[in-house]
Amino acid sequence: MKRGATLAILLAAAALLLACSATPPAPPPPHEGAPSTIAASPPALRLPTTVLPVKQSATLSLAPEADTFDGSTDIELDVRQATPLLWLNATELTVREAWAEVGGARLATRVIAGGEDFVGFAFERPLPVGRARLHVAYGGKVTAKDDRGVFRMKEGASTFLFTQFETTEARRAFPCFDEPSFKHPWQLTLRAPASQVVLSNTPAVEDKPDGAGWKSLRFAETRPLPAYLVAFAVGPFELVDAGRAGKKGTPLRIAVPPGKAAHADFARAALPKIVGLLEDYFGIPYPYEKLDLVSVPNLVSFGAMENAGLITFTSGVLLAEPKEDTPAYRDRVVLYVAHEVAHHWFGNLVTTAWWDDIWLNEGFATWMEVKITQRFDPAFGEDQAEAAAFSAVMSEDGLLSARKVRQPVVSKDDIANAFDGITYQKGGAVLGMFEAWLGPDAFQKGVRHYLEKFADDNATSADFLTALGEGAGQDVSAAMSTFLDQPGVPLVTPQLVCDAGVARLALKQERNLPIGSQGAAAALWHIPVCARYGTGAASGRACVMLREATGDLPLPRLPAAKSGCPDWVMLKEGGHGYYRVTHTARDLQTLLAPGKVPLTPRERVVVVSDGNALVSSGKLPLGDALATVPALLEDRSPFVQTAAVNLMSWLQPTFVEPALHPKVARFVNRTLAPRVKELGWRPRREDSSEVGRLRLEVLGMLSTLGDDPKLVAPATQLAERWLDDPSALEPEVAETVLRTAAARGDRRLFDRLVTLVKAERDTKRRNRLLAGLAGFRDPALARASLALYLADDTDARDGTALLFGQDLHSRQVTWDFVKENYDALITKLPDVMQPALFSVADFCDEAHLAEVRSFFGARAGKVTGAPRQLAQAVEKSSLCIAQKAAHRASLEKFLARQ
């Protein structure tokens, strides 16, 4: 699953092997703490393993406009221990009939309520050891509030049904064994109105009328799948043929709303190439019978989901009108599609055994998406974007409340929190670091060995690490485990020592902690440290595994060098390495001086990002870091310039005393004015995706922190033109333009946006209008935009931008609104979005921190996933307060010179 910024796993389906076998399947690993007999009360979290699923079939009757659906399911069971009672997962299902069958005899079955996650089936006599079958007829609910379970969405005049079953939502569609370790074939039969297109994981093998304007489609049995990868979609789709791809000639299609077929042109052309690139890397043909990409109007809790053979994408990712078909859009399509299709090997073909190892899915897909995008088109520059993303997650991982990559999952809170930057970006960064250490070819051999060894099965981190070492020919289990099984980020401090013409780096490692962190446990990592160093035009590379608190890295003398002591040294060669590096201000000047040191753009991005992190830890004064920004904005790489703009984020309103805001604005205006002039407010046809990203960063920073009316005046003019005619402005800058205009806008503009958003039927345009409404700084208008979220005619999913996208200057208004309307907000918000409410009060002072603790403290325990969100929000505010005090003098001195 690809998480919106922040998000992709892909499992798949298509074979009869397990169902036809006379040999029972091997049981999944025993559940920790699982009872040896089935208890009369429902399980606390995980199902017992005394009875295992062999195969499940289900028939569902689905109408997109209906609020409910009917279903029946038959589960073939392998009874490992005689049992009078069977627990299954089920949520908001009404069971109408249930019976079991053993040896041709039907057993009367009583249904037992099991709370929100379980249903029990008590049999008139115990099911004996061996094979049995359970039949259940039931009804379920369709939600128009969430994007989970079976949910409904509209696009224009069309209504669609979709599914999202990861993590624990398949139980909303059928009673089942809803855990990733229960992996078995599925066979679906779906009834729907005859006018609708019906899709599922596998091809339909039968399509026949089913009375009164309905039809019934029976789909081929899948390969073994966990419940969360089963999927279906119903609606008036247009199906775009994307040809065939791969060694098996897999048929490819894209399902879009009516009239949007042309919007899928690039995705249609790109998909076969992406499938081929993934097959080439993994050495295994695409594992499933077909591949459909399905456009969903507006996903809010995730961006895409790798259901086997039926991937769902939010429409803003997959589809584009001709004017939206920019390099940035194409980059995004390739990145998202590569992530989700990669899951069909990592996650679908080989599935994690439990949610504590979900990084095996998401970390791999995150690592692979960049590799494939680079091979698809190096001009996209995704290797530099990846370096920036990995740096960002290190900031998250620097918190004491950060979790481990392999965090034990013992509650629903833990499951909800498992899909974060630690899983995606840290998991991907650790893989990239050890790929660089082992070498790409050796690492690829290890990956292929793992996939071949565990195909159609479940696997753990230990399984992967063992298989990687076997295939690569070098064991890295102990080293990788130090990054997977403890939180935090190492900080490596190098000291160049030159003695008698022999150079070495004296290395020291410690945990990197921001100013204000207290009580952190000591930690050591096995860090694969690789350095680049040079003298004159010559450069070299040297590596060592740093296993202790200190160590040495010899730097062999370079050919033709007059001295053994190099002129410069840069750790994290190639930009790979999940650790921070201590740089002095002089180090930064040397490494980043234009043309002096032959660093790659990715390496320069890493150096700037590490410098930013050193400000957090207090090892680099904020004023010294800000002083580098003007020169960095002259760098050839747009990504380095973007990293420089990010350094200016330290100047946000809550971090800087109000008396200094005019000086901040003066610095921002003067520093960014040349870039604004060069980039302009509108994209150019020749712009790369890198330049497009930089433009949005520069304009966003100018709008937030600058105050020069002349620099932002074009935004108001362009916004008015766009509101009159959407074709008058390129869509990729429309949101930034609207928010900039709104920040300085009045009631007339606000009322116009409200009128337009209520009438707008196009999802992407409506989302841009909502983002604009969230940009007003006038307190009365900011509050009015927040109130729109609670209006009856605001879709709970579409409107989240109104609540979570408010301008930074409106923090207090947002906080007051949340306090006054908490109960109504929690009731309306999609369930998966509720925890985000606990981090909405982003302040940097003791008074607000105390208020946040007091208000949210007792409420967090009632919302799944909220305790960790609140803990991290509190810690971030506490650290901000400490950093604000520590850097005050440096910042004031710097701004005094502006």
Side-chain angles (χ1 to χ4, degrees):
M1 179 162 52
K2 184 78 169 176
R3 292 281 177 175
T6 23
L7 352 219
I9 313 158
L10 273 135
L11 222 87
L16 304 167
L17 178 61
L18 201 57
C20 297
S21 172
T23 305
H31 292 182
E32 189 173 330
S36 58
T37 59
I38 295 184
S41 58
L45 181 66
R46 304 189 66 176
L47 294 169
T49 55
T50 49
V51 179
L52 303 177
V54 175
K55 172 186 171 182
Q56 182 160 354
S57 60
T59 298
L60 303 178
S61 297
L62 304 157
E65 298 285 357
D67 294 328
T68 61
F69 63 88
D70 292 322
S72 65
T73 188
D74 290 271
I75 310 175
E76 295 183 20
L77 303 170
D78 175 25
V79 182
R80 296 296 177 95
Q81 178 181 315
T83 181
L85 175 62
L86 173 66
W87 289 106
L88 294 180
N89 293 116
T91 297
E92 294 190 331
L93 299 180
T94 302
V95 177
R96 301 191 177 104
E97 177 188 39
W99 44 261
E101 184 179 84
V102 179
R106 185 175 294 186
L107 302 183
T109 301
R110 180 166 53 92
V111 178
I112 300 175
E116 65 177 16
D117 284 303
F118 302 96
V119 62
F121 300 92
F123 309 109
E124 62 177 300
R125 63 178 183 274
L127 294 181
V129 172
R131 291 300 177 93
R133 180 165 66 98
L134 177 69
H135 173 84
V136 184
Y138 61 95
K141 297 181 179 180
V142 175
T143 179
K145 169 188 171 183
D146 295 289
D147 50 8
R148 65 171 187 166
V150 182
F151 64 94
R152 177 171 61 244
M153 279 194 169
K154 289 182 176 291
E155 176 67 25
S158 301
T159 304
F160 302 86
L161 284 186
F162 303 97
T163 59
Q164 171 61 21
F165 293 158
E166 189 179 49
T167 53
T168 58
E169 312 299 341
R171 62 193 68 178
R172 295 179 180 274
F174 6 70
C176 59
F177 292 78
D178 195 9
E179 298 179 24
S181 63
F182 297 114
K183 191 173 182 181
H184 56 81
W186 291 73
Q187 191 278 308
L188 296 187
T189 299
L190 302 178
R191 297 183 67 249
S195 60
Q196 304 295 306
V197 175
V198 183
L199 306 171
S200 189
N201 303 89
T202 54
V205 294
E206 184 180 66
D207 183 346
K208 63 181 183 181
D210 200 4
W214 283 63
K215 63 182 177 181
S216 177
L217 287 86
R218 182 168 60 86
F219 291 87
E221 185 177 288
T222 73
R223 287 175 79 153
L225 290 179
Y228 80 87
L229 288 171
V230 176
F232 51 83
V234 180
F237 296 104
E238 286 187 40
L239 298 178
V240 178
D241 185 354
R244 292 179 175 268
K247 297 176 182 177
K248 298 190 299 184
T250 302
L252 312 174
R253 298 183 301 186
I254 302 174
V256 303
K260 299 291 181 75
H263 296 188
D265 281 351
F266 178 72
R268 175 186 54 78
L271 182 56
K273 184 175 179 180
I274 292 169
V275 172
L277 288 170
L278 285 162
E279 282 194 354
D280 288 345
Y281 185 85
F282 291 128
I284 297 172
Y286 172 80
Y288 304 102
E289 294 169 273
K290 58 93 175 174
L291 178 57
D292 292 336
L293 310 187
V294 182
S295 174
V296 183
N298 190 35
L299 295 170
V300 294
S301 64
F302 65 101
M305 176 64 202
E306 71 277 10
N307 311 298
L310 190 74
I311 307 174
T312 50
F313 293 87
T314 191
S315 63
V317 165
L318 197 62
L319 306 182
E321 298 177 34
K323 198 162 189 175
E324 296 175 304
D325 190 358
T326 63
Y329 157 74
R330 294 181 172 222
D331 182 1
R332 186 169 65 248
V333 168
V334 176
L335 198 73
Y336 268 71
V337 172
H339 183 110
E340 302 304 329
V341 181
H343 273 307
H344 281 73
W345 288 266
F346 271 99
N348 297 9
L349 183 63
V350 182
T351 305
T352 180
W354 181 236
W355 301 114
D356 55 359
D357 272 328
I358 195 60
W359 81 279
L360 284 172
N361 295 3
E362 301 301 349
F364 268 93
T366 300
W367 162 75
M368 181 56 73
E369 71 186 28
V370 174
K371 185 180 294 292
I372 296 303
T373 304
Q374 280 295 104
R375 294 184 181 187
F376 188 98
D377 188 348
F380 287 150
E382 273 304 321
D383 62 329
Q384 297 170 66
E386 178 188 60
F390 290 168
S391 178
V393 79
M394 284 191 232
S395 297
E396 178 184 340
D397 201 15
L399 300 174
L400 295 185
S401 54
R403 63 178 195 85
K404 308 170 187 175
V405 174
R406 264 191 50 83
Q407 183 76 25
V409 171
V410 297
S411 70
K412 291 185 73 173
D413 276 330
D414 294 330
I415 296 174
N417 289 315
F419 291 80
D420 63 359
I422 300 298
T423 289
Y424 286 76
Q425 275 73 41
K426 182 174 182 178
V430 170
L431 289 168
M433 177 170 64
F434 280 94
E435 179 192 29
W437 174 260
L438 291 170
D441 291 341
F443 193 84
Q444 182 182 34
K445 290 178 182 177
V447 167
R448 289 182 171 186
H449 178 60
Y450 166 73
L451 293 173
E452 291 164 359
K453 187 174 182 178
F454 293 99
D456 283 324
D457 205 346
N458 298 96
T460 65
S461 286
D463 294 328
F464 168 71
L465 295 176
T466 298
L468 178 64
E470 291 170 350
Q474 182 178 345
D475 184 13
V476 291
S477 296
M480 286 190 73
S481 294
T482 65
F483 288 88
L484 301 176
D485 295 332
Q486 63 182 345
V489 183
L491 173 67
V492 177
T493 301
Q495 182 180 358
L496 180 61
V497 179
C498 296
D499 186 15
V502 177
R504 63 183 174 87
L505 288 178
L507 303 175
K508 180 180 74 171
Q509 69 157 300
E510 59 189 307
R511 183 171 181 176
N512 185 59
L513 294 169
I515 300 168
S517 290
Q518 297 178 349
L524 281 178
W525 290 262
H526 293 186
I527 310 171
V529 176
C530 287
R532 280 230 291 143
Y533 61 101
T535 300
S539 65
R541 175 181 188 264
C543 298
V544 70
M545 183 70 77
L546 180 62
R547 294 183 172 87
E548 305 296 336
T550 60
D552 282 342
L553 173 57
L555 303 179
R557 186 165 184 162
L558 296 170
K562 295 180 180 179
S563 167
C565 197
D567 296 334
W568 57 270
V569 179
M570 183 259 180
L571 294 191
K572 298 206 286 195
E573 178 263 346
H576 299 289
Y578 193 80
Y579 57 92
R580 297 293 194 187
V581 179
T582 301
H583 295 296
T584 65
R586 176 173 289 186
D587 292 335
L588 292 175
Q589 290 174 354
T590 299
L591 292 172
L592 298 171
K596 289 190 177 181
V597 177
L599 300 187
T600 66
R602 178 180 174 121
E603 289 172 333
R604 297 200 300 278
V605 168
V606 166
V607 171
V608 177
S609 298
D610 279 350
N612 199 344
L614 293 173
V615 175
S616 297
S617 62
K619 298 183 183 300
L620 182 67
L622 176 55
D624 289 354
L626 291 171
T628 68
V629 170
L632 290 172
L633 286 173
E634 300 296 328
D635 194 278
R636 298 183 307 278
S637 166
F639 279 105
V640 175
Q641 295 181 49
T642 298
V645 174
N646 288 338
L647 280 170
M648 301 171 79
S649 298
W650 284 100
L651 300 174
Q652 62 178 299
T654 56
F655 191 81
V656 179
E657 296 298 333
L660 295 175
H661 288 179
K663 292 183 178 180
V664 167
R666 189 159 57 247
F667 168 66
V668 171
N669 293 335
R670 188 176 68 251
T671 303
L672 295 183
R675 294 280 76 74
V676 173
K677 183 177 180 180
E678 178 183 338
L679 294 165
W681 281 84
R682 301 187 64 176
R684 303 177 182 91
R685 182 175 296 276
E686 66 272 16
D687 286 346
S688 66
S689 60
E690 297 172 320
V691 169
R693 294 176 189 178
L694 174 62
R695 176 181 291 105
L696 296 180
E697 292 289 339
V698 168
L699 297 180
M701 189 65 67
L702 179 71
S703 173
T704 301
L705 300 180
D707 68 351
D708 187 337
K710 293 181 180 179
L711 289 174
V712 297
T716 300
Q717 300 163 9
L718 291 170
E720 293 288 352
R721 289 170 60 187
W722 185 81
L723 295 176
D724 289 334
D725 176 11
S727 67
L729 180 65
E730 294 76 12
E732 69 182 271
V733 295
E735 181 177 321
T736 299
V737 164
L738 279 178
R739 289 183 65 87
T740 302
R744 295 147 183 87
D746 57 12
R747 170 65 70 170
R748 183 198 62 81
L749 178 60
F750 180 88
D751 290 343
R752 188 177 185 197
L753 289 174
V754 171
T755 300
L756 289 170
V757 80
K758 288 180 180 296
E760 185 57 58
R761 302 179 76 183
D762 180 80
T763 300
K764 288 193 283 188
R765 181 168 160 80
R766 186 170 64 250
N767 286 343
R768 292 176 183 124
L769 290 166
L770 288 166
L773 279 166
F776 285 89
R777 291 182 190 171
D778 178 286
L781 299 179
R783 185 172 182 84
S785 72
L786 288 162
L788 287 172
Y789 182 70
L790 292 177
D792 291 340
D793 58 351
T794 299
D795 186 295
R797 297 163 296 198
D798 288 355
T800 53
L802 294 169
L803 185 59
F804 300 115
Q806 287 288 315
D807 186 274
L808 291 176
H809 296 264
S810 301
R811 280 188 176 100
Q812 185 63 51
V813 176
T814 304
W815 175 228
D816 290 341
F817 182 82
V818 168
K819 288 184 294 180
E820 294 166 16
N821 298 279
Y822 174 83
D823 291 339
L825 289 169
I826 281 293
T827 299
K828 181 157 188 175
L829 275 168
D831 290 355
V832 292
M833 298 294 289
Q834 291 173 4
L837 197 61
F838 290 78
S839 58
V840 76
D842 186 13
F843 292 104
C844 195
D845 62 273
E846 293 286 359
H848 278 105
L849 179 56
E851 198 175 340
V852 167
R853 282 186 170 125
S854 174
F855 183 81
F856 278 144
R859 293 174 170 87
K862 300 176 183 178
V863 176
T864 300
R868 178 175 290 277
Q869 288 279 351
L870 177 58
Q872 293 204 323
V874 166
E875 184 178 0
K876 287 177 182 177
S877 289
S878 300
L879 295 176
C880 182
I881 293 166
Q883 292 164 357
K884 185 176 180 178
H887 286 297
R888 179 176 289 116
S890 171
L891 180 59
E892 289 177 351
K893 182 178 179 181
F894 171 77
L895 290 175
R897 300 194 298 266
Q898 302 309 309

